[in-house]
Amino acid sequence: MKTKHRQASHQKHRWQKDYSVFGRIIGLLEPFSPDELMRLELPIRMSFEALKNGKGCESDFHDIAAAINCTLVRSEEVDPMCEYTAISARDALMRTWHRWEKTGKWGFDGPALQEVEACIDLHEQLIRLSTPGQMVKAMREVIRRGHKNEVVQ
């Protein structure tokens, strides 16, 4: 008797309905809300302004690098010109990193300033035109490439 009861009890706990899965799926397919857009875009703009003014820190650099890497991965599915914009911004950001390593001060050179700002504009457009599911997929790809040292970190 006890054995049958135990087996029946284990069967109950093996599979349980997840009633929230529909909401999670719909949440990944709907576009970002205006509040979410502001929450995603504002820190990147603030980091860019801080580095541009020479008052940034290493975390500002990494915030921009993450945005550029995500833009690069997402733009590979969109258009080669978008991909070119992201690659040139990545190279410009690396020049900024090397400059910081040499001088200890943050700042962009002239072309880097234009290229990084253009990529940030592209990043904002891709966020507005993409679903959260697409952006999560792009960020997971950035993390996967980061483990293989294929992207700027």
Side-chain angles (χ1 to χ4, degrees):
M1 176 94 171
K2 289 184 179 181
T3 305
K4 286 185 178 183
H5 174 70
R6 265 190 234 134
Q7 289 174 351
S9 178
H10 287 295
Q11 290 293 338
K12 289 179 193 175
H13 296 292
R14 189 171 358 155
W15 185 80
Q16 300 224 345
K17 291 181 184 177
D18 185 6
Y19 293 105
S20 66
V21 71
F22 183 71
R24 286 184 296 181
I25 290 172
I26 294 299
L28 292 175
L29 298 177
E30 292 179 346
F32 288 104
S33 70
D35 291 339
E36 291 171 328
L37 288 172
M38 185 175 58
R39 191 173 41 90
L40 291 170
E41 294 171 356
L42 191 60
I44 305 301
R45 282 288 172 185
M46 290 176 63
S47 295
F48 176 70
E49 290 298 321
L51 287 182
K52 185 170 79 169
N53 295 329
K55 298 179 180 169
C57 59
E58 196 171 337
S59 66
D60 293 325
F61 172 84
H62 291 296
D63 290 345
I64 295 172
I68 289 174
N69 289 329
C70 191
T71 302
L72 176 60
V73 169
R74 185 73 186 101
S75 64
E76 289 172 355
E77 301 172 4
V78 176
D79 186 27
M81 287 303 293
C82 294
E83 190 177 354
Y84 174 77
T85 301
I87 290 171
S88 62
R90 180 192 62 194
D91 296 342
L93 199 62
M94 286 311 298
R95 289 195 309 270
T96 303
W97 177 263
H98 294 307
R99 178 181 178 175
W100 176 75
E101 285 180 330
K102 289 179 185 175
T103 64
K105 295 182 181 180
W106 290 106
F108 297 106
D109 56 16
L113 184 65
Q114 293 175 348
E115 292 166 351
V116 171
E117 188 167 18
C119 190
I120 291 173
D121 291 339
L122 176 62
H123 178 70
E124 290 174 352
Q125 283 298 319
L126 285 175
I127 288 175
R128 291 176 188 273
L129 297 173
S130 301
T131 64
Q134 291 171 321
M135 296 307 289
V136 166
K137 180 181 168 189
M139 205 59 205
R140 285 183 180 149
E141 179 65 18
V142 168
I143 292 168
R144 188 193 67 74
R145 291 181 186 184
H147 291 304
K148 294 182 177 183
N149 293 324
E150 295 176 2
V151 292
V152 178
Q153 293 184 5

Coordinates of all heavy atoms in Angstrom, one line a residue, residues 28-87:
L28 N 7.7 38.3 -24.9 CA 8.9 38.2 -25.8 C 8.5 38.6 -27.2 O 9.4 38.9 -28.0 CB 9.5 36.8 -25.8 CG 10.2 36.4 -24.5 CD1 10.7 35.0 -24.5 CD2 11.3 37.4 -24.1
L29 N 7.2 38.6 -27.6 CA 6.8 38.9 -28.9 C 6.3 40.3 -29.1 O 6.2 40.8 -30.2 CB 5.7 37.8 -29.4 CG 6.2 36.4 -29.4 CD1 5.0 35.5 -29.8 CD2 7.3 36.2 -30.4
E30 N 5.9 40.9 -28.1 CA 5.4 42.3 -28.2 C 6.5 43.3 -28.2 O 7.6 43.0 -27.6 CB 4.5 42.6 -27.0 CG 3.2 41.8 -26.9 CD 2.4 42.2 -25.7 OE1 2.9 42.8 -24.7 OE2 1.2 41.8 -25.6
P31 N 6.4 44.4 -28.9 CA 7.5 45.4 -28.9 C 7.6 46.0 -27.4 O 6.8 45.9 -26.6 CB 7.0 46.5 -29.8 CG 5.5 46.2 -30.0 CD 5.2 44.8 -29.7
F32 N 8.8 46.6 -27.3 CA 9.1 47.3 -26.0 C 8.1 48.4 -25.7 O 7.7 49.1 -26.6 CB 10.5 47.8 -25.9 CG 11.6 46.8 -25.9 CD1 12.3 46.4 -27.0 CD2 11.8 46.1 -24.7 CE1 13.3 45.5 -26.9 CE2 12.8 45.1 -24.6 CZ 13.6 44.8 -25.7
S33 N 7.7 48.6 -24.4 CA 6.9 49.7 -24.1 C 7.8 51.0 -24.0 O 9.0 50.9 -23.9 CB 6.2 49.4 -22.7 OG 7.2 49.5 -21.7
P34 N 7.2 52.2 -24.0 CA 8.0 53.4 -23.9 C 8.8 53.4 -22.6 O 10.0 53.9 -22.6 CB 6.9 54.5 -23.9 CG 5.8 53.9 -24.6 CD 5.8 52.5 -24.3
D35 N 8.3 52.9 -21.5 CA 9.1 52.9 -20.3 C 10.3 52.0 -20.4 O 11.4 52.3 -20.0 CB 8.2 52.4 -19.1 CG 7.2 53.4 -18.7 OD1 7.3 54.6 -19.0 OD2 6.2 53.0 -18.1
E36 N 10.1 50.8 -21.0 CA 11.2 49.9 -21.2 C 12.3 50.5 -22.2 O 13.5 50.3 -22.0 CB 10.7 48.6 -21.8 CG 9.9 47.7 -20.8 CD 9.2 46.6 -21.5 OE1 8.9 46.6 -22.7 OE2 9.1 45.5 -20.8
L37 N 11.8 51.2 -23.2 CA 12.7 51.8 -24.2 C 13.6 52.8 -23.4 O 14.8 52.9 -23.6 CB 12.0 52.5 -25.3 CG 11.3 51.6 -26.3 CD1 10.4 52.3 -27.3 CD2 12.4 50.8 -27.1
M38 N 13.0 53.6 -22.6 CA 13.7 54.7 -21.9 C 14.7 54.0 -20.9 O 15.9 54.4 -20.8 CB 12.8 55.6 -21.1 CG 13.5 56.7 -20.4 SD 12.5 57.9 -19.6 CE 11.6 56.9 -18.4
R39 N 14.3 52.9 -20.3 CA 15.2 52.2 -19.3 C 16.4 51.6 -20.1 O 17.5 51.4 -19.5 CB 14.4 51.1 -18.6 CG 15.1 50.5 -17.4 CD 14.1 49.6 -16.6 NE 13.3 48.8 -17.5 CZ 13.6 47.5 -17.9 NH1 14.7 47.0 -17.6 NH2 12.7 46.9 -18.6
L40 N 16.2 51.2 -21.3 CA 17.3 50.6 -22.1 C 18.2 51.6 -22.8 O 19.4 51.4 -22.9 CB 16.7 49.6 -23.2 CG 16.0 48.4 -22.6 CD1 15.3 47.7 -23.8 CD2 17.0 47.4 -22.0
E41 N 17.6 52.7 -23.2 CA 18.4 53.7 -24.0 C 19.1 54.7 -23.2 O 20.2 55.1 -23.5 CB 17.4 54.4 -25.0 CG 16.8 53.5 -26.0 CD 15.8 54.2 -26.9 OE1 15.4 55.3 -26.5 OE2 15.3 53.6 -27.8
L42 N 18.5 55.1 -22.1 CA 19.1 56.2 -21.3 C 20.5 55.9 -20.7 O 21.4 56.7 -20.8 CB 18.1 56.6 -20.2 CG 18.4 57.9 -19.4 CD1 18.5 59.1 -20.4 CD2 17.4 58.1 -18.4
P43 N 20.7 54.7 -20.1 CA 22.0 54.4 -19.6 C 23.1 54.5 -20.6 O 24.3 54.9 -20.4 CB 21.9 53.0 -19.0 CG 20.5 52.8 -18.7 CD 19.8 53.6 -19.8
I44 N 22.8 54.0 -21.9 CA 23.8 54.0 -22.9 C 24.2 55.5 -23.3 O 25.3 55.8 -23.5 CB 23.3 53.3 -24.2 CG1 22.9 51.8 -23.8 CG2 24.4 53.2 -25.3 CD1 24.0 51.0 -23.2
R45 N 23.2 56.3 -23.4 CA 23.4 57.7 -23.8 C 24.2 58.4 -22.6 O 25.1 59.2 -22.9 CB 22.1 58.4 -24.0 CG 21.4 58.2 -25.3 CD 22.2 58.9 -26.4 NE 21.7 58.5 -27.7 CZ 22.2 58.9 -28.8 NH1 23.2 59.6 -28.8 NH2 21.7 58.5 -29.9
M46 N 23.8 58.1 -21.4 CA 24.6 58.7 -20.3 C 26.0 58.3 -20.3 O 26.9 59.1 -20.0 CB 23.9 58.4 -19.0 CG 22.5 59.1 -18.8 SD 21.6 58.7 -17.4 CE 22.7 59.2 -16.1
S47 N 26.3 57.0 -20.5 CA 27.6 56.5 -20.6 C 28.4 57.2 -21.7 O 29.6 57.5 -21.6 CB 27.6 55.0 -20.8 OG 27.1 54.4 -19.6
F48 N 27.8 57.3 -22.9 CA 28.4 58.0 -24.0 C 28.8 59.4 -23.7 O 29.9 59.9 -24.0 CB 27.5 57.9 -25.2 CG 28.0 58.6 -26.4 CD1 29.1 58.1 -27.1 CD2 27.5 59.8 -26.9 CE1 29.7 58.8 -28.2 CE2 28.0 60.5 -28.0 CZ 29.1 60.0 -28.6
E49 N 27.9 60.1 -23.1 CA 28.1 61.5 -22.7 C 29.3 61.6 -21.7 O 30.1 62.5 -21.7 CB 26.9 62.2 -22.2 CG 25.8 62.5 -23.2 CD 26.3 63.4 -24.3 OE1 27.0 64.4 -24.0 OE2 25.9 63.1 -25.5
A50 N 29.3 60.7 -20.7 CA 30.4 60.7 -19.7 C 31.7 60.4 -20.4 O 32.7 61.1 -20.1 CB 30.1 59.6 -18.7
L51 N 31.8 59.5 -21.3 CA 33.1 59.2 -21.9 C 33.5 60.4 -22.9 O 34.6 60.7 -23.0 CB 33.0 57.9 -22.7 CG 33.0 56.6 -22.0 CD1 33.0 55.4 -22.9 CD2 34.2 56.5 -21.0
K52 N 32.5 60.9 -23.5 CA 32.7 62.0 -24.4 C 33.3 63.3 -23.7 O 34.2 64.0 -24.2 CB 31.4 62.4 -25.2 CG 31.6 63.5 -26.2 CD 30.4 63.6 -27.1 CE 29.3 64.4 -26.3 NZ 28.2 64.8 -27.2
N53 N 32.8 63.5 -22.5 CA 33.3 64.6 -21.7 C 34.5 64.3 -20.9 O 35.0 65.2 -20.1 CB 32.1 65.1 -20.8 CG 31.0 65.6 -21.6 OD1 31.1 66.2 -22.6 ND2 29.8 65.5 -21.0
G54 N 35.0 63.1 -21.0 CA 36.2 62.8 -20.2 C 36.0 62.4 -18.8 O 36.9 62.3 -18.0
K55 N 34.7 62.3 -18.4 CA 34.4 62.0 -17.0 C 33.9 60.6 -16.7 O 33.3 60.3 -15.7 CB 33.4 63.0 -16.5 CG 33.9 64.4 -16.5 CD 32.8 65.4 -16.1 CE 33.5 66.8 -16.2 NZ 32.5 67.9 -16.0
G56 N 34.1 59.8 -17.7 CA 33.5 58.4 -17.7 C 34.4 57.5 -16.8 O 35.5 57.9 -16.3
C57 N 34.0 56.3 -16.7 CA 34.7 55.3 -16.0 C 34.7 54.0 -16.8 O 34.1 53.9 -17.9 CB 34.2 55.0 -14.6 SG 32.5 54.5 -14.5
E58 N 35.3 53.0 -16.3 CA 35.4 51.7 -17.1 C 34.0 51.1 -17.3 O 33.8 50.5 -18.3 CB 36.3 50.7 -16.4 CG 36.8 49.6 -17.2 CD 37.9 48.8 -16.6 OE1 38.6 49.3 -15.7 OE2 38.0 47.6 -16.9
S59 N 33.1 51.2 -16.3 CA 31.8 50.6 -16.5 C 31.0 51.3 -17.6 O 30.2 50.7 -18.3 CB 31.0 50.7 -15.2 OG 30.7 52.0 -14.9
D60 N 31.3 52.6 -17.8 CA 30.6 53.3 -19.0 C 31.1 52.7 -20.3 O 30.3 52.5 -21.2 CB 31.0 54.8 -18.9 CG 30.3 55.5 -17.7 OD1 29.2 55.1 -17.4 OD2 30.9 56.5 -17.2
F61 N 32.4 52.5 -20.4 CA 33.0 51.8 -21.6 C 32.3 50.5 -21.8 O 31.9 50.2 -22.9 CB 34.5 51.7 -21.4 CG 35.1 50.9 -22.5 CD1 35.5 51.5 -23.7 CD2 35.3 49.5 -22.4 CE1 36.0 50.7 -24.7 CE2 35.9 48.8 -23.4 CZ 36.2 49.4 -24.6
H62 N 32.2 49.7 -20.8 CA 31.6 48.4 -20.9 C 30.1 48.4 -21.3 O 29.6 47.5 -22.0 CB 31.8 47.5 -19.7 CG 33.3 47.1 -19.5 ND1 34.0 46.4 -20.4 CD2 34.1 47.5 -18.5 CE1 35.2 46.2 -20.0 NE2 35.3 46.9 -18.8
D63 N 29.4 49.4 -20.8 CA 28.0 49.6 -21.2 C 27.9 49.9 -22.7 O 27.0 49.3 -23.4 CB 27.3 50.7 -20.4 CG 27.1 50.4 -19.0 OD1 27.2 49.3 -18.6 OD2 26.9 51.4 -18.2
I64 N 28.7 50.7 -23.2 CA 28.7 51.0 -24.6 C 29.2 49.8 -25.4 O 28.6 49.5 -26.5 CB 29.6 52.3 -24.9 CG1 28.9 53.5 -24.2 CG2 29.7 52.5 -26.4 CD1 29.8 54.8 -24.3
A65 N 30.2 49.1 -24.9 CA 30.7 47.9 -25.7 C 29.5 46.9 -25.8 O 29.4 46.3 -26.8 CB 31.9 47.4 -24.9
A66 N 28.8 46.7 -24.7 CA 27.7 45.7 -24.7 C 26.6 46.1 -25.8 O 26.1 45.3 -26.5 CB 27.1 45.6 -23.4
A67 N 26.3 47.4 -25.8 CA 25.3 47.9 -26.8 C 25.8 47.7 -28.2 O 25.1 47.3 -29.1 CB 25.0 49.4 -26.5
I68 N 27.1 48.0 -28.4 CA 27.7 47.9 -29.8 C 27.7 46.4 -30.2 O 27.4 46.1 -31.3 CB 29.1 48.6 -29.9 CG1 28.9 50.1 -29.8 CG2 29.8 48.1 -31.1 CD1 30.2 50.9 -29.7
N69 N 28.1 45.6 -29.3 CA 28.2 44.1 -29.6 C 26.8 43.6 -29.9 O 26.6 42.8 -30.8 CB 28.8 43.3 -28.5 CG 30.3 43.6 -28.4 OD1 30.9 43.8 -29.3 ND2 30.8 43.5 -27.1
C70 N 25.8 44.0 -29.1 CA 24.4 43.6 -29.4 C 23.9 44.1 -30.7 O 23.2 43.4 -31.4 CB 23.5 44.0 -28.2 SG 21.9 43.3 -28.2
T71 N 24.3 45.3 -31.0 CA 23.9 45.9 -32.3 C 24.5 45.2 -33.4 O 23.9 44.9 -34.5 CB 24.3 47.4 -32.3 OG1 23.6 48.1 -31.3 CG2 23.9 48.0 -33.6
L72 N 25.8 44.8 -33.2 CA 26.5 44.0 -34.3 C 25.8 42.7 -34.6 O 25.5 42.3 -35.7 CB 28.0 43.8 -33.9 CG 28.8 43.0 -34.8 CD1 28.9 43.6 -36.2 CD2 30.2 42.8 -34.3
V73 N 25.5 42.0 -33.5 CA 24.9 40.7 -33.7 C 23.5 40.8 -34.3 O 23.1 40.1 -35.2 CB 24.8 39.9 -32.3 CG1 23.9 38.7 -32.4 CG2 26.2 39.5 -31.9
R74 N 22.7 41.8 -33.8 CA 21.4 42.0 -34.3 C 21.4 42.5 -35.8 O 20.5 42.1 -36.6 CB 20.6 43.0 -33.4 CG 19.2 43.2 -33.8 CD 18.3 42.0 -33.4 NE 17.0 42.3 -33.8 CZ 16.5 41.7 -34.9 NH1 17.2 40.9 -35.7 NH2 15.3 42.0 -35.3
S75 N 22.4 43.3 -36.1 CA 22.4 43.9 -37.5 C 22.9 42.9 -38.5 O 22.7 43.1 -39.7 CB 23.3 45.1 -37.5 OG 24.6 44.8 -37.2
E76 N 23.5 41.8 -38.1 CA 23.9 40.7 -39.0 C 22.7 40.1 -39.7 O 22.8 39.6 -40.8 CB 24.7 39.6 -38.3 CG 26.1 40.1 -37.9 CD 26.8 39.0 -37.0 OE1 26.2 38.0 -36.6 OE2 28.0 39.3 -36.7
E77 N 21.5 40.2 -39.0 CA 20.3 39.6 -39.5 C 19.5 40.7 -40.3 O 18.6 40.3 -41.0 CB 19.4 39.1 -38.4 CG 20.0 38.0 -37.6 CD 19.2 37.7 -36.4 OE1 18.1 38.3 -36.2 OE2 19.6 36.9 -35.6
V78 N 20.0 41.9 -40.3 CA 19.2 43.0 -40.8 C 19.7 43.5 -42.2 O 19.1 43.4 -43.2 CB 19.1 44.2 -39.8 CG1 18.3 45.4 -40.5 CG2 18.4 43.8 -38.6
D79 N 21.0 44.1 -42.1 CA 21.5 44.7 -43.3 C 23.0 44.8 -43.2 O 23.5 45.1 -42.2 CB 20.9 46.1 -43.5 CG 21.3 46.8 -44.7 OD1 21.5 46.2 -45.7 OD2 21.3 48.1 -44.7
P80 N 23.7 44.6 -44.3 CA 25.2 44.7 -44.3 C 25.7 46.1 -43.9 O 26.7 46.3 -43.3 CB 25.6 44.4 -45.7 CG 24.5 43.6 -46.3 CD 23.3 44.1 -45.6
M81 N 24.9 47.2 -44.3 CA 25.3 48.5 -43.9 C 25.2 48.8 -42.4 O 26.1 49.5 -41.8 CB 24.5 49.6 -44.7 CG 24.8 49.7 -46.1 SD 26.6 50.1 -46.4 CE 26.7 51.7 -45.8
C82 N 24.2 48.2 -41.8 CA 24.1 48.2 -40.3 C 25.3 47.5 -39.7 O 25.8 48.0 -38.7 CB 22.8 47.6 -39.9 SG 21.3 48.5 -40.4
E83 N 25.6 46.4 -40.2 CA 26.7 45.6 -39.7 C 28.0 46.4 -39.8 O 28.9 46.4 -38.9 CB 26.8 44.3 -40.5 CG 27.8 43.3 -39.9 CD 27.8 42.0 -40.7 OE1 27.0 41.8 -41.6 OE2 28.6 41.2 -40.3
Y84 N 28.2 47.1 -41.0 CA 29.4 47.9 -41.2 C 29.5 49.1 -40.1 O 30.6 49.3 -39.6 CB 29.4 48.5 -42.6 CG 30.5 49.5 -42.8 CD1 31.9 49.0 -43.0 CD2 30.3 50.8 -42.8 CE1 32.9 49.9 -43.2 CE2 31.4 51.7 -43.0 CZ 32.6 51.3 -43.2 OH 33.7 52.1 -43.4
T85 N 28.3 49.7 -39.9 CA 28.3 50.7 -38.9 C 28.7 50.2 -37.5 O 29.5 50.9 -36.8 CB 26.9 51.3 -38.8 OG1 26.5 51.8 -40.1 CG2 26.8 52.4 -37.7
A86 N 28.2 49.0 -37.1 CA 28.6 48.5 -35.8 C 30.0 48.0 -35.8 O 30.7 48.2 -34.7 CB 27.7 47.3 -35.5
I87 N 30.6 47.5 -36.9 CA 32.0 47.1 -36.9 C 32.9 48.3 -36.8 O 33.9 48.3 -36.0 CB 32.3 46.3 -38.1 CG1 31.6 44.9 -38.0 CG2 33.8 46.1 -38.3 CD1 31.7 44.1 -39.3

